[in-house]
Amino acid sequence: MAGRTPRSRWWQARWVVSAALGIGYLLNVLFRLSLVTGQDYPTVNPDEEMYLVMARILAGLPTTEIPGNQIIPSGYSLLISPALRITQDPVHAYHLVMGINALISCLVLPVAYWALRRLRVPRLVSYVAAMAVVLLPPVLFYSQYAMADTPLPVLILLWLIGMHGLFSEGSRRGRIRYAVLAGAAAGYSLLTHDRGGVIIVLTGVVLVAALVFRWVPRTASALGLAVLALMFVVKQLMTAWLMSRIDGAHPSEVGSAVLQTLEDTDLWRRTIMRMTGHLWYFMTSTWGLGTLALAVCVYAVFSNRFRRSERVVAFLMVALLGGISLAAAAGLPADHRIDTITYARYLSPLAAVYVLVAVAVLYHVRSRRKLLVLGAVVCGVTLASMAVLVHMAAKEFHQSFFVIWGLPDATFLSSLWKDTDNWAGFHAGRTTAVALAVFGLVLLLRLLGSNRRAALATGAAALSVAVFAGWASLAVTDHVTRPWISSRRGDATGFLQSAGIRPGDRLVMDTGLHWESRVSMSYEILAGQVWTRSLGQGQAPPTGATVAALPFDSNDGKSPAEDSWPSAPAGWHVEREVSEGHYVVWRRGNAEDGS
């Protein structure tokens, strides 16, 4: 029949692609929401509370104390602030935040599809690979918390698409649009997290070079730089505005910490060790696909066989990976944790784009010999990074604490070792072996296809990654996210119930109170206000405080609860003693009427 789309090409119709992306997006949102069911409160202290406190202020709620007294970039807080405008119930508001996170995180699907299409990968393969990327644990895991890591994968993808489009051949108007996209995405990355500082510097350097050497229309590069500058000014203004509303707050000191560490030659070995650990974790958490993309990107930077747009993006990817890993290695404190040495979080937003590039490589490289060479390079680089890490950090590993939240991907992979389901320890060798086994399976599926069946074989490889990613994300949720959350209920909603905190209460907490409880209350008391004071040392409570919580050990009931605050001002009385929490709650007003 005339005008009918051939059966073999039905999926190339635009309405089919749009519908598939819409359905895939919706299913992934529902999948993410199912994983956070019953998640009622923040648990990653103090990071979540810092974003949530800024969100409550941006939403117009009463100002309060912010954990650490540091104002971090507030772009993510701006995105979740509508949740705190809708309700002042902390549980309902947190549920809405998780919903916003799901909506943002799943944007990786259509943007990843767009990125692969720009890399000349067929539509169906691009769709399957995009589904795999949106399910990756590094992409999904951090969206289960109120943290800025949620929008960063989308922003980085949009940034690189913009840079690719700017340096590709095309109309002047189109390249201007891509320049604005790149500048806006880079700028909002800076507005979202300190890692955006690396992105904005790289973007500025490349755009200035493009302007000087006329690699792109000057109007395009100039507009890109103008957008960068505008977003930087917006970031400074938002920081200043928040500081004016939070007493004692000051800007983030991450940048200063990085520079101080890099200037200290005595800390260079530690920085190199951590940088190696971060890169090793990135390679294994992307199951070798990140290593494959890294190897090809390094080659592309120095090869004239690639287009300028591809070489620029390759340079940006390599420089961003190295820049973030170096900054994280230098800036993280000496907290004696294994995950600080092999940190998962800071490089996780790059997992999506690196896996997408790896899929594009598997599709475009048609020679089996070249694929085998690339596979050997992946195995060699990953094993070498593990060897260097184990050699440099052997002593530190034995003296450091294992925190499962900071090592979700590595713990999952090591738990798949022969007849082992151990989620309570760190095993670099097992993690590396299983990651390379997964990579070997993906490479084998691709090798089964000839030149004519490259799309089919790459699609099968991408499908295997999607299935494995979905299973991994489920397993990490069951063994890391849910146990982590349940163990911290007493510090959040549990404290509110045990302490008898009422809507509108203004709580002052003694500095000796449990740290997790103190930072959690900055968010949990949405309709009121919180302070931290050394009440036990004689410091007076703020004039606006109505409730006080102080640590207290009753010595098996021999000491009265009034001994918890010997210098209590007139008008304060003991309301309750929470013996299981080792604290006492005082309230200002008449003890009889509870006022």
Side-chain angles (χ1 to χ4, degrees):
M1 182 176 178
R4 172 176 288 182
T5 303
R7 279 182 172 271
S8 61
R9 298 292 182 180
W10 66 270
W11 47 267
Q12 291 192 6
R14 288 193 174 185
W15 72 267
V16 172
V17 173
S18 300
L21 288 172
I23 293 171
Y25 177 82
L26 178 61
L27 291 176
N28 274 282
V29 168
L30 294 175
F31 177 62
R32 276 164 166 72
L33 292 178
S34 71
L35 296 182
V36 297
T37 300
Q39 197 163 317
D40 301 331
Y41 42 81
T43 57
V44 182
N45 306 318
D47 300 59
E48 284 191 271
E49 287 83 4
M50 295 172 78
Y51 291 115
L52 290 165
V53 166
M54 291 189 300
R56 67 179 279 170
I57 296 172
L58 290 168
L61 296 179
T63 185
T64 192
E65 183 177 80
I66 188 169
N69 291 328
Q70 287 194 42
I71 302 297
I72 56 180
S74 54
Y76 170 69
S77 298
L78 183 64
L79 295 176
I80 62 174
S81 61
L84 282 75
R85 289 185 179 272
I86 295 173
T87 177
Q88 293 188 18
D89 180 284
V91 173
H92 294 161
Y94 197 74
H95 290 167
L96 291 173
V97 169
M98 292 297 99
I100 294 173
N101 272 9
L103 294 173
I104 295 172
S105 179
C106 291
L107 289 174
V108 167
L109 174 63
V111 178
Y113 175 83
W114 183 17
L116 281 174
R117 292 295 294 146
R118 289 200 59 82
L119 294 177
R120 306 181 306 283
V121 176
R123 290 182 178 181
L124 190 56
V125 178
S126 297
Y127 182 79
V128 175
M131 286 291 287
V133 163
V134 78
L135 290 170
L136 287 173
V139 175
L140 188 149
F141 176 72
Y142 298 100
S143 71
Q144 297 176 330
Y145 307 92
M147 298 172 67
D149 304 80
T150 299
L152 283 177
V154 181
L155 289 171
I156 289 175
L157 278 170
L158 289 172
W159 168 59
L160 291 173
I161 288 173
M163 296 300 284
H164 186 271
L166 172 62
F167 284 88
S168 297
E169 294 296 327
S171 67
R172 182 171 175 271
R173 181 175 297 180
R175 298 175 83 173
I176 288 175
R177 286 198 295 264
Y178 279 116
V180 172
L181 172 64
Y188 207 88
S189 297
L190 177 67
L191 198 62
T192 300
H193 196 273
D194 288 316
R195 279 167 284 183
V198 181
I199 295 175
I200 203 169
V201 168
L202 290 174
T203 309
V205 169
V206 171
L207 288 180
V208 168
L211 186 64
V212 171
F213 294 106
R214 299 186 179 184
W215 291 335
V216 302
R218 287 194 165 184
T219 304
S221 54
L223 279 175
L225 288 169
V227 172
L228 274 185
L230 176 63
M231 294 300 292
F232 179 79
V233 171
V234 169
K235 190 255 187 185
Q236 297 299 104
L237 291 174
M238 288 186 70
T239 299
W241 184 83
L242 287 166
M243 286 177 59
S244 70
R245 280 155 177 77
I246 303 176
D247 292 338
H250 53 83
S252 172
E253 298 175 347
V254 172
S256 299
V258 171
L259 291 176
Q260 290 173 5
T261 300
L262 293 177
E263 291 172 354
D264 189 344
T265 56
D266 293 335
L267 295 177
W268 283 3
R269 184 188 182 281
R270 189 190 76 175
T271 301
I272 294 172
M273 174 190 70
R274 288 179 173 183
M275 189 174 179
T276 303
H278 297 181
L279 292 173
W280 167 83
Y281 197 104
F282 179 77
M283 294 175 191
T284 55
S285 66
T286 53
W287 311 321
L289 293 171
T291 318
L292 173 62
L294 176 61
V296 174
C297 284
V298 171
Y299 175 73
V301 171
F302 301 100
S303 174
N304 291 325
R305 298 178 60 184
F306 291 82
R307 302 175 184 179
R308 176 175 290 165
S309 58
E310 295 168 344
R311 296 179 69 184
V312 168
V313 169
F315 164 75
L316 291 172
M317 288 177 60
V318 174
L320 183 61
L321 183 70
I324 291 180
S325 59
L326 176 61
L332 288 169
D335 53 7
H336 305 291
R337 287 171 44 160
I338 293 176
D339 53 298
T340 299
I341 302 172
T342 61
Y343 207 49
R345 177 185 165 195
Y346 282 168
L347 290 177
S348 63
L350 280 68
V353 66
Y354 267 81
V355 171
L356 289 176
V357 170
V359 171
V361 170
L362 291 176
Y363 172 73
H364 286 295
V365 177
R366 302 300 171 89
S367 167
R368 291 185 176 181
R369 184 182 65 82
K370 290 182 179 179
L371 287 171
L372 288 172
V373 169
L374 286 172
V377 169
V378 168
C379 293
V381 171
T382 307
L383 289 171
S385 66
M386 183 202 72
V388 173
L389 171 64
V390 171
H391 173 72
M392 296 187 70
K395 182 179 179 181
E396 283 78 5
F397 283 153
H398 290 295
Q399 297 176 347
S400 302
F401 300 104
F402 171 79
V403 180
I404 192 171
W405 185 88
L407 296 158
D409 308 280
T411 312
F412 165 71
L413 290 173
S414 63
S415 73
L416 301 181
W417 193 256
K418 181 180 178 182
D419 300 327
T420 301
D421 187 23
N422 181 12
W423 287 75
F426 174 69
H427 305 280
R430 293 179 184 176
T431 301
T432 305
V434 176
L436 291 179
V438 176
F439 174 76
L441 175 61
V442 172
L443 184 61
L444 177 62
L445 288 173
R446 172 60 187 90
L447 289 170
L448 291 176
S450 61
N451 287 348
R452 293 183 178 180
R453 297 182 178 179
L456 179 63
T458 306
L463 181 61
S464 69
V465 174
V467 172
F468 190 73
W471 174 41
S473 292
L474 279 171
V476 168
T477 299
D478 289 339
H479 289 85
V480 179
T481 306
R482 286 173 179 157
W484 177 270
I485 292 166
S486 63
S487 67
R488 281 155 177 77
R489 182 184 179 278
D491 298 321
T493 57
F495 181 89
L496 286 179
Q497 296 167 2
S498 299
I501 304 299
R502 309 165 189 168
D505 277 345
R506 295 186 293 277
L507 173 67
V508 56
M509 298 169 287
D510 186 82
T511 53
L513 202 68
H514 195 224
W515 179 76
E516 281 81 0
S517 296
R518 285 193 284 116
V519 297
S520 295
M521 290 308 103
S522 298
Y523 164 72
E524 294 295 334
I525 303 180
L526 273 180
Q529 190 172 358
V530 301
W531 300 268
T532 302
R533 298 288 188 271
S534 299
L535 300 176
Q537 302 299 318
Q539 190 173 3
T543 56
T546 59
V547 184
L550 295 94
F552 182 63
D553 189 346
S554 63
N555 195 20
D556 296 329
K558 296 178 181 179
S559 303
E562 285 74 11
D563 288 354
S564 62
W565 195 5
S567 59
W572 288 82
H573 65 273
V574 172
E575 182 177 68
R576 67 179 67 188
E577 178 183 355
V578 185
S579 55
E580 66 274 12
H582 303 289
Y583 64 88
V584 173
V585 177
W586 292 66
R587 187 172 289 272
R588 186 199 297 268
N590 191 299
E592 282 71 28
D593 61 18
S595 61

